[in-house]
Each structure stands twice: as structure tokens, then as C-alpha cells.
Amino acid sequence: MSSTPRWRRFEEWDQRPLRHDQFAVEDPAAGFATFHSPWDPKPSARVENGRVVEIDGKQEADFDILDTFIAAHHLDLDVIDEAMAMDPADVARMLVDINVPRETLERLARGMTPAKLASVVACMSALEITFAYAKMRQRRTPGNQAHVTNAKDDPLQLAADAAVAVALGFDEIETTMRVASNSWANAIACAVGSSVGRGGVLFQCSIEEAEELRIGMAGFTSYAETVSVYGTEAAFVDGDDTPWSKAFLTAAYASRGIKARCTSGASAELLMGFHERQSVLYLEARCLCLQRAMGVQGTQNGGIDGAPLTVSMAGGMRELMAENLIAVWLGLECASGNDTRVSESEIRVGAKITPYLMAGSDLLCSGLGSIRKYDNSFNPSLFNGEDIEDFLALQRDFEADGGLTPIKEGDTYALRMRAIRALAAVFDELGLATVPEAWMHSVAAASGSLETETFSPGEVTRISEAIRDRGLTAVDVVRALERRGFAREAENLLLMLRQRISGDYLQTSAILRDGKVISALNDPNDYSGPGSGYRMSEARWEAVRNVRDVQTREKVLERERRIDPTAEPWLIPSGEAQKGTDPREVVIGLSPAFGNELTQTTAGHDLIDVVLALTDGVREGGGVPRLVRIRHTADTSFLGLTAARLSGSGYGIGIQAKGTAIIHRADRLPHMNVELFSNAPVTTLAHYRAMGRNAALHAAGTAPEPIIVPVDGQSLGARYHVRVAMLYAIETGLVVPDAPPLDVTLAIGQRRAGS
Amino acid sequence: MTAARDLYPLSEKAPEKAVSASGLPLSELTLDAVVSERIGAADIRISADVLRLQARIARDAGRDRLALNLERAAELVSVPQDLILDTYEMLRPGRISDSRLLTERAEMLRRDYGAHMIAALIDEAVAVYERRNLFRRRY
């Protein structure tokens, strides 16, 4: 059996991380449909005697639990006829029209059925959805949420990581456990950790509802987002709830002063096997109408656990954006997904977040993994501890606020230690545990739980059960912190309790900044075109753009200009250079800063070694090298041509201090060189030697094989150009127009005297 | 009369109206008070009055569904935790097979806690659960 030859590029593609991703065919009968399915209903609504008796083709007698709840609590009878009669494309145009206020569109949404809402966003391209999202989202200032968990449920690490998450600027922190009985230890650890530093961060411990309410009542947590809803009756019931049980739970959370949001997302019904052959967008539109109907302030939506399945479908990422748009259009706070690693391809991951960075969002990620992927008890997020700096770079690139702030390496260890010490003090004060000093340092330095020496899982469970059984509350923790000298942390934790009494963060899209609540009420998104809406303040932009290791001219020059002040000059000028007569002569033209202001190439070769390699090479090829200093130009082509015109053979070499070099011939046009060595960072001394040899061989009238400097595809521009640009400015700064070239002699032997 | 919305955020614009379930005003929830053990768990609970005020604020801001939710929440402030969790459990699908238990629960919440909106929500659920056959045992 013969096999067809294979283009080996496919083998290389097979090795790319992308190939781990699965791509699914559109198959509505199997539930694989993004925007449209033949089984999606046509939008319709009918009102009789003051009640909705038909929704999306279904009569009242056939209403399932979702239809019933939506009919009773979502649809606004004053708007329904007007809104349902509108052309979807007209409404879509209003969504992207800066002259149509957000409030006008929110009013129309209150009269639209799920199928109607879906039909409108289905008209819109990804770009239009992004733009409409920027206009329709609720709070003006964007924010972000962190996952803080670890594989050991280690409270010390939770405290340290929560403090880092706060320093990174997250507005909300969400934790969960590997072992459910560790929930109280997790809660106390994150509550203490998040009170270190600026404080004022909303915190959630995700667990079974009854326990979550208890932990919230004890004052440790301030929000909940486990109120899941589903787009079909069968999935809802399988998820062990109904719209009424969830509406009751939503009110219960508010009655304890706890902010709540629902969770829903495309493909949840598909994963649960109850999709009814309808498109994921239509099902999600039902979920979202239901959420508004329940009176919850916001939603965590945009795929969530179903996101990888959704993006396996063609147009899947566009669909996730579309459902986020419906959420904010309905007036809901939106924690816009981006909390699941939807792909193994870093390119797809970066592309997934970009529209959200540009549009902004109440919470860009409904959990960005602030910890290592393996420590994420929710499973890896879209971005994780490993790639937070990539996220920071994207904010800087697009001048877009993704809610995060770069942290300084020098401050971070001390911050982590403070969080750990604060928790250890609370544990000690409350008689829960004594923490050895060695554990504290181990955890403070560790990137993840694989590296820590700390509590055993059994000890954590014992601590957790003691917290619960003794009925400890956040008040006890505030007191313990204050008694042990952590007054600032005590004050921060107390701030959260005070906020709870005011109920201010129960309003739509509320977070805390600088200890004050901002929400859709006192910080409403007022985008109405260029110059309006959210813009970073100068201070905020200063913080965002200051990522780690920003190059400055001073830093580059300090590192690259290794000038030894005691060293003697090694290139001694000896008068104006004249044209040579020796037919074997190869002139090597050195740039203005070569060997004086600048002393090494971008590859790190000492320029003395480079000159020796070039001159040795010329001799090896049977030539006679002559060095000249060129002062009227720093450009490689003109350096080379000037050298060639001075050379007895008509062949010359031009070289810049950073190492870029050229072989040139006297009778050629400036940019028609003989050989060019443009990739200085990968040019070795052996290459310079071969270059000298080739120049001599050209001079002797032979045609040598050109020197190939191999490149492996590295982005030399990304790696070197900042430095190159700063160094090259030194060269051009030394250019003296019309100054003639000078002969120089090597004086290497004499310079050792003082060293 | 001031629009309710102008009182938001309460903690800044009208802190005197932010009083906890135990009657403690925001200004008295200080670190000193906590350390000297004058503050207990009841002092950090939100009050029904604050929830009703936040509901007015939400309604004023054009968010009537959220307002209704906050009003339902106000009714639950004095309902004990166990009763809340038990009622939630009864509302989950298939937990009870006799709808009368839920109807009685609604009546009790209305009578003992003045939770009229919550009771109406439960009554509504009973009717729908019967029509959609959700009073069937699931385990």
C-alpha cells in the first residue's frame, strides 16, 4: 500500500498547541448551533386582558417554567407591542448609534422576548457587538475579578495570593475548595489576605448555597455568583432549581447584605444534554430575560463552563460576545466570562480577551486565575498566574483598562509575608493553629502549592470545622487583627462590614474603589462617542503603562555602554585617510561611536574582538586590512561605500558599533551592496572573520560563497530594537557633516598598563 | 422631597440612614467598638429599612425589577436562617410531593413575618409546579 507524500508543514502544524483544540461542525439537531437553529422559534408576543398569553410562538397553556416566569416578571406591557414590532436590523443599528442613549435601548429590551433579543444581536458583526457592548455596559469604570484557590486549600497561600490579587487591582476575589469542608478556612484566609494593602475588595466563597449563605452571614464574604440558571426547563430541573427557587435565593442573599449575580452561559444546556435542538444564543437569551425578571442585579455570563464547547463551533467567540451584549442591554451587571481556558492556543486566548479590553466590562473576567493553572480549583481560567504579565502588556498596548495594575517585584515578597503573618496572628489569637516561621517563608516565596511546606489537608479541615463550630465571625477576626497589631487590616475588613450595612453594593454593577462604592448609579456608563465614557485618568494610565522592566535611555546606556574610564583609547587616529593603491587592500570603515562611546555589539561581542576577527579574516583571504574612522555618516551603506572608495582594491567593509556590517564596492550605488550582515544580534565573531575573508577574496577577483548568518525566526525587532534605537542615536549624535575619514591604528598592546 | 437616588451611596450621602438590623448606626461601627466587644454578629446585619430604601433608590434609577427583589429581601431580614434554607429547599424541584406544604409555608411567612411578596412568589410557584408536574420525587 502506497501512501500519498505529505507536506511536512502539516507535521509541524500537528505539533502546535492549537491542534489540541477541537472544532465541531454545525449540527443543530445535536445542539451544535450558535446563532440560528431551525428549531429556534420566531419572535412573537401577544397580550390579552393585561397578561402575556404568547411568547415566541408558544401559547400560554404550553408555557414551561421559563416562559411563565418571563411572561409574569420580565415583559413590560407598556413597551411590548412597540418593541416586538420593530425591525431587528433597525434595533441593531440603534445599538451601535452613539446618538441613541443607552436608556432608550434598555426600555425597548424590557418589551422584547428572548427570540426577539437574539434576532437583533444576530444581525451584528463581532466589531459591532464589541462597540455596542462598550456603549451598553452598565458601570463606566471597568473592573476585574480574580480566582484565588490552591490545590492544598492552604490558608497561608490563600492569604498571600489574595493580597497579591488585591495589589494587582482586582475588584472581586472568588475562592473555592478542593474539599468542601475546608470552606470556612478558605473564607477566613481570603478575607484576611484581601484586607492587606488597599483593601475594599468584594469576596466570594463558592460552595453549596446553604453553606455559602452561612459564610456570608458570618461576614466573611460579600458577594455570591453561584445562582445558576439554565435555558430549558429540563436543564433547570436537572440543575436542581426553578426560577422561583432561584428568585427566592436571590432575595435571601440580599436580605443578608450580600451582593449576588446569576450565572448562565452558552452551551450549559448542551453539556447537560437538554438543549431541545435550539441555538445556544436563543437559550442564553431565555436565561438572561429570566435573570432580569428575578430582579438580580447582574450576571456572570459568556459561556463560563460551556465556553470551550461554544468556541468549538464556528462563530463561537462572536456568540459569547453577543450574549454578553444581551446581558448589559437588559440592564444587568456583566461579569463577562473569560474565566475558562477555551483554547490551548495562546493566540486564540489573546484574541478572545481583546474585544473586552477595548470595550471594557464591569468585570472583564468572571475569574482571572491569579494563581498557577494547576492551583485553580475552578479549572484554568482564560488568563492565569503564568500569563498575567501578558494581560498587563495588552492593557498597555491598546491603552485599555482591563482593571489590573502592574506590581513591583521588590514589594511583593513583603506583601505576601504581611498577609501570611496577619493570618497566622489571627489563627493564634483565636486558638485555631500555630504557624511555624519556616512555613511562612516557604509559602511567601512559592509560586504555587507544589512548592510549599505548610498545613496538611487534614489540619486545614480541622481548622475549618473549628471556625464553623465555634460560630466565629468577621467581627472576631477584626478584633484579633487589631489586638495583634494589624490595625490597618482590621480597618479594611471593618470597612467591608460597614458597607454591608449600607447596602450600597447591592445596586447594579457595584464595586469598591478607595473604600467607596461605585456602581451603575453613581458611575453610570455614559458613552456617546469619542471623548465620552470611560477614559483612564493620567494617574491610572501612568500605573497601567508602567509594566515591569520598562527600558529607559539611562538604563540601556548604563548596561550597554561599558566604558572603562581607566582604559586607554585603542583606536588611535593618525591623520586624514587617503585612497590606497595596494590592489589587495580592504578598508574597514568604523562608525563614529565605534570603540569609543560604544564598546560592544548587540550580540555582546567586544568591539576589539570584532576588529581582530575582521582584520584576521582579511589577511586569511590574502588581503591587507586598513582601518579608518568615518565621521560624516553612521549609515551602514554609506560607511561601506566610503570604505570601498578609499580602498586600493575598491572593496571595503563598513561596520557600526552595534555590529551591523556590509561589504561594498567602490563603483556601486549606495544600497547595492555586495554582502549585508543586518542581524547583528546573531552575528558571531566567526561570521566577522568570514566577512573579512570574503572581502579579501572579492578584492582578489574571485567570487566566494556569500556568508549566511542563520536566523531561527526569533523576533529580533522585539528583542533588540529598543536598545538598538537608543544606541544608534549615540552614533548619529557623533556624526560631523563633511568631516573626512581618518586613518586609525590599533593600540591594543599598550592599554593593559593601568589595568 | 429629595429623590431617593440623590441619597446614593447611603454610606456617603446619608450615613445616618444606614442603620444595622440591631439598630446600630454606621457611625458607631468603629474599630474601638469592635475591640471593646461592644459589637456582635447582629450589628453587622443589614436592616429591612435600609433594603427598602435601596429599593426606592433602584426604582428611582429605573430598575424596578431590582427594586422588587430588594423589597422581597427586606421581608426576609427577620426570617431565621434555617427557615430560609428550609423554604429554599422546599422550592427546589421534586423536594416535596404535596403542594400544600408549600402553600402552608407561604401562609406562615405571610402571617408571622409579614412576608407578603415572598408568599406571593411561593404561591405562584405552587401553581406552576402543579401544571408542570414538578411535585414529583427526584430521589
Side-chain angles (χ1 to χ4, degrees):
Chain A
M1 204 173 76
S2 68
S3 60
T4 315
R6 194 181 189 207
W7 187 32
R8 277 193 292 276
R9 182 72 55 77
F10 282 100
E11 284 171 28
E12 293 163 8
W13 284 343
D14 283 347
Q15 300 308 313
R16 300 269 295 175
L18 175 72
R19 294 321 304 175
H20 292 294
D21 293 358
Q22 296 193 322
F23 299 97
V25 74
E26 187 94 357
D27 182 358
F32 284 77
T34 48
F35 282 80
H36 302 283
S37 159
W39 288 276
D40 284 352
K42 295 272 174 298
S44 75
R46 200 157 49 81
V47 179
E48 265 177 23
N49 302 322
R51 52 190 288 130
V52 180
V53 295
E54 178 191 322
I55 293 179
D56 295 338
K58 213 186 280 180
Q59 303 307 307
E60 191 178 20
D62 303 321
F63 280 0
D64 64 15
I65 53 175
L66 285 95
D67 302 315
T68 307
F69 204 93
I70 289 168
H73 302 288
H74 162 60
L75 288 167
D76 184 337
L77 298 186
D78 294 338
V79 192
I80 190 165
D81 290 337
E82 174 193 351
M84 292 301 290
M86 292 180 79
D87 176 46
D90 286 343
V91 183
R93 276 190 286 274
M94 291 169 74
L95 280 166
V96 294
D97 186 344
I98 56 171
N99 299 307
V100 179
R102 176 163 62 87
E103 291 73 14
T104 303
L105 285 149
E106 285 173 17
R107 180 183 158 273
L108 290 173
R110 296 199 277 271
M112 291 189 184
T113 61
K116 184 74 180 185
L117 291 163
S119 72
V120 172
V121 295
C123 298
M124 304 169 77
S125 72
L127 179 64
E128 289 156 357
I129 293 168
T130 307
F131 186 80
Y133 189 78
K135 171 181 150 182
M136 297 301 298
R137 63 188 183 76
Q138 297 291 304
R139 188 185 62 243
R140 181 170 44 199
T141 309
N144 215 331
Q145 180 196 109
H147 288 161
V148 176
T149 64
N150 67 66
K152 291 178 180 168
D153 291 342
D154 171 19
L156 301 179
Q157 191 187 334
L158 289 164
D161 288 344
V164 170
V166 171
L168 279 164
F170 286 103
D171 297 296
E172 291 185 348
I173 286 175
E174 180 183 25
T175 193
T176 195
M177 291 65 60
R178 300 286 160 112
V179 180
S181 52
N182 291 342
S183 56
W184 291 83
N186 265 48
I188 211 169
C190 288
V192 169
S194 61
S195 69
V196 175
R198 75 180 156 92
V201 170
L202 295 169
F203 165 54
Q204 177 201 2
C205 183
S206 178
I207 190 175
E208 187 271 330
E209 272 87 358
E211 195 76 345
E212 186 156 343
L213 255 177
R214 282 192 201 98
I215 292 171
M217 276 199 74
F220 294 119
T221 56
S222 38
Y223 82 99
E225 63 181 8
T226 47
V227 190
S228 307
V229 306
Y230 305 95
T232 65
E233 181 175 288
F236 223 123
V237 171
D238 206 49
D240 209 15
D241 269 298
T242 72
W244 289 267
S245 67
K246 286 300 194 190
F248 179 83
L249 187 64
T250 301
Y253 276 118
S255 76
R256 270 53 184 162
I258 299 168
K259 170 182 174 174
R261 71 171 67 93
C262 283
T263 293
S264 64
S267 300
E269 301 79 9
L270 185 49
L271 278 173
M272 295 169 80
F274 296 108
H275 51 74
E276 296 180 3
R277 299 182 295 185
Q278 290 169 324
S279 70
V280 295
L281 179 69
Y282 167 67
L283 294 181
E284 184 56 21
R286 299 186 87 196
C287 290
L288 290 164
C289 288
L290 198 61
Q291 291 172 45
R292 192 186 94 77
M294 285 161 52
V296 72
Q297 64 83 32
T299 184
Q300 165 185 224
N301 100 314
I304 317 301
D305 292 344
L309 188 51
T310 309
V311 308
S312 79
M313 301 178 216
M317 287 196 193
R318 174 175 161 249
E319 193 285 332
L320 295 177
M321 293 159 65
E323 64 184 53
N324 288 145
L325 174 57
I326 295 177
V328 293
W329 183 14
L330 285 165
L332 297 170
E333 174 200 56
C334 186
S336 44
N338 297 313
D339 60 350
T340 310
R341 193 80 171 177
V342 293
S343 171
E344 293 289 8
S345 156
E346 296 203 328
I347 293 175
R348 291 183 84 201
V349 165
K352 172 81 177 73
I353 200 69
T354 303
Y356 293 87
L357 272 169
M358 294 187 186
S361 188
D362 288 326
L363 287 312
L364 266 87
C365 302
S366 38
L368 186 156
S370 71
I371 59 311
R372 292 285 304 275
K373 278 183 207 159
Y374 71 76
D375 266 337
N376 197 328
S377 304
F378 295 103
N379 285 329
S381 182
L382 185 67
F383 279 76
N384 298 281
E386 288 88 338
D387 34 41
I388 280 177
E389 289 203 321
D390 299 63
F391 187 96
L392 295 172
L394 287 173
Q395 290 190 136
R396 188 177 186 272
D397 291 337
F398 290 105
E399 207 166 331
D401 193 338
L404 300 199
T405 308
I407 51 174
K408 295 202 166 38
E409 184 174 347
D411 306 338
T412 306
Y413 187 87
L415 177 80
R416 292 175 65 81
M417 270 311 272
R418 180 149 184 105
I420 293 166
R421 286 197 192 284
L423 182 65
V426 168
F427 277 1
D428 191 55
E429 181 72 20
L430 297 177
L432 292 166
T434 306
V435 181
E437 186 78 11
W439 291 6
M440 299 192 201
H441 289 284
S442 164
V443 172
S447 175
S449 64
L450 285 175
E451 306 160 30
T452 55
E453 184 196 352
T454 187
F455 293 108
S456 72
E459 286 166 322
V460 175
T461 303
R462 190 185 52 71
I463 293 170
S464 187
E465 285 172 351
I467 298 167
R468 185 194 58 205
D469 295 347
R470 286 170 51 192
L472 295 174
T473 70
V475 174
D476 298 305
V477 176
V478 170
R479 196 176 291 133
L481 282 168
E482 208 280 341
R483 284 191 180 149
R484 298 297 286 262
F486 292 92
R488 210 170 58 228
E489 286 75 9
E491 205 49 85
N492 280 340
L493 195 51
L494 189 62
L495 165 77
M496 298 311 293
L497 300 178
R498 291 164 58 90
Q499 286 296 347
R500 160 188 306 235
I501 290 173
S502 75
D504 286 332
Y505 63 59
L506 300 178
Q507 298 289 352
T508 305
S509 302
I511 56 171
L512 276 86
R513 287 279 171 94
D514 302 320
K516 294 185 171 169
V517 168
I518 55 168
S519 71
L521 270 64
N522 61 345
D523 182 36
N525 179 20
D526 55 357
Y527 182 76
S528 59
S532 67
Y534 179 76
R535 303 285 145 138
M536 276 189 270
S537 67
E538 187 49 40
R540 175 68 186 144
W541 174 225
E542 174 66 15
V544 165
R545 70 186 168 204
N546 250 314
V547 298
R548 197 158 60 98
D549 279 345
V550 172
Q551 303 286 314
T552 63
R553 194 162 174 274
E554 292 69 32
K555 274 200 257 180
V556 169
L557 297 190
E558 188 188 323
R559 196 171 52 232
E560 307 283 335
R561 258 168 107 182
R562 298 234 177 92
I563 298 175
D564 176 359
T566 65
E568 296 292 322
W570 56 280
L571 290 165
I572 314 295
S574 60
E576 196 171 318
Q578 305 299 323
K579 181 163 176 6
T581 51
D582 185 341
R584 295 173 305 153
E585 182 182 69
V586 174
V587 168
I588 300 169
L590 309 175
S591 64
F594 192 102
N596 45 56
E597 291 288 313
L598 301 173
T599 58
Q600 59 179 1
T601 70
T602 41
H605 303 303
D606 192 308
L607 293 184
I608 296 175
D609 297 329
V610 172
V611 166
L612 292 177
L614 284 168
T615 51
D616 285 354
V618 170
R619 288 190 199 94
E620 213 175 275
V624 177
R626 175 160 66 109
L627 298 173
V628 301
R629 162 84 65 202
I630 295 170
R631 298 179 293 168
H632 70 283
T633 180
D635 178 89
T636 332
S637 295
F638 289 92
L639 288 170
L641 192 55
T642 304
R645 293 199 166 174
L646 288 171
S647 174
S649 67
Y651 282 89
I653 291 172
I655 184 164
Q656 296 175 325
K658 63 188 169 69
T660 306
I662 203 167
I663 301 177
H664 226 311
R665 202 173 77 189
D667 59 353
R668 289 202 170 187
L669 289 169
H671 300 292
M672 286 295 292
N673 56 65
V674 179
E675 289 187 47
L676 175 65
F677 300 75
S678 60
N679 287 326
V682 291
T683 306
T684 65
L685 291 175
H687 291 131
Y688 288 116
R689 192 182 185 96
M691 175 191 277
R693 188 176 59 237
N694 265 17
L697 292 173
H698 280 298
T702 58
E705 284 291 320
I707 312 300
I708 305 296
V709 177
V711 290
D712 63 1
Q714 287 178 352
S715 171
L716 298 179
R719 291 174 187 230
Y720 294 99
H721 274 182
V722 170
R723 280 150 60 188
V724 165
M726 289 174 180
L727 296 175
Y728 190 59
I730 295 174
E731 291 263 37
T732 53
L734 291 181
V735 166
V736 182
D738 300 326
L742 303 175
D743 275 316
V744 289
T745 51
L746 267 179
I748 297 172
Q750 293 84 42
R751 78 190 186 100
R752 297 273 167 212
S755 66
Chain B
M1 189 179 144
T2 4
R5 197 177 171 171
D6 295 338
L7 298 176
Y8 187 84
L10 281 188
S11 52
E12 294 165 44
K13 302 271 182 68
E16 74 285 354
K17 292 187 192 299
V19 174
S20 79
S22 66
L24 186 83
L26 205 56
S27 55
E28 288 180 28
L29 182 53
T30 61
L31 202 49
D32 276 352
V34 170
V35 173
S36 56
E37 314 213 1
R38 297 200 303 271
I39 301 296
D43 297 316
I44 58 165
R45 287 193 51 187
I46 195 167
S47 69
D49 285 348
V50 166
L51 281 164
R52 292 207 170 87
L53 183 49
Q54 291 288 0
R56 277 178 51 209
I57 292 169
R59 191 167 279 117
D60 225 22
R63 298 174 187 273
D64 67 329
R65 301 295 106 175
L66 175 58
L68 289 169
N69 174 48
L70 295 175
E71 284 163 358
R72 285 191 288 265
E75 293 184 349
L76 290 177
V77 167
S78 59
V79 178
Q81 184 82 343
D82 290 347
L83 189 55
I84 284 185
L85 293 173
D86 190 56
T87 306
Y88 170 57
E89 193 62 17
M90 289 168 76
L91 277 167
R92 296 179 110 165
R95 289 300 194 281
I96 53 172
S97 46
D98 184 352
S99 66
R100 279 175 305 183
L101 292 171
L102 209 43
T103 303
E104 285 165 15
R105 175 58 55 90
E107 191 45 46
M108 184 263 262
L109 288 168
R110 192 181 281 123
R111 184 185 63 237
D112 296 354
Y113 297 95
H116 298 278
M117 296 172 70
I118 288 287
L121 188 77
I122 296 172
D123 287 342
E124 191 183 304
V126 169
V128 180
Y129 289 11
E130 278 182 336
R131 184 168 59 80
R132 300 301 294 176
N133 191 26
L134 294 182
F135 289 118
R136 59 175 194 268
R137 277 276 164 201
R138 297 183 62 235
Y139 58 85

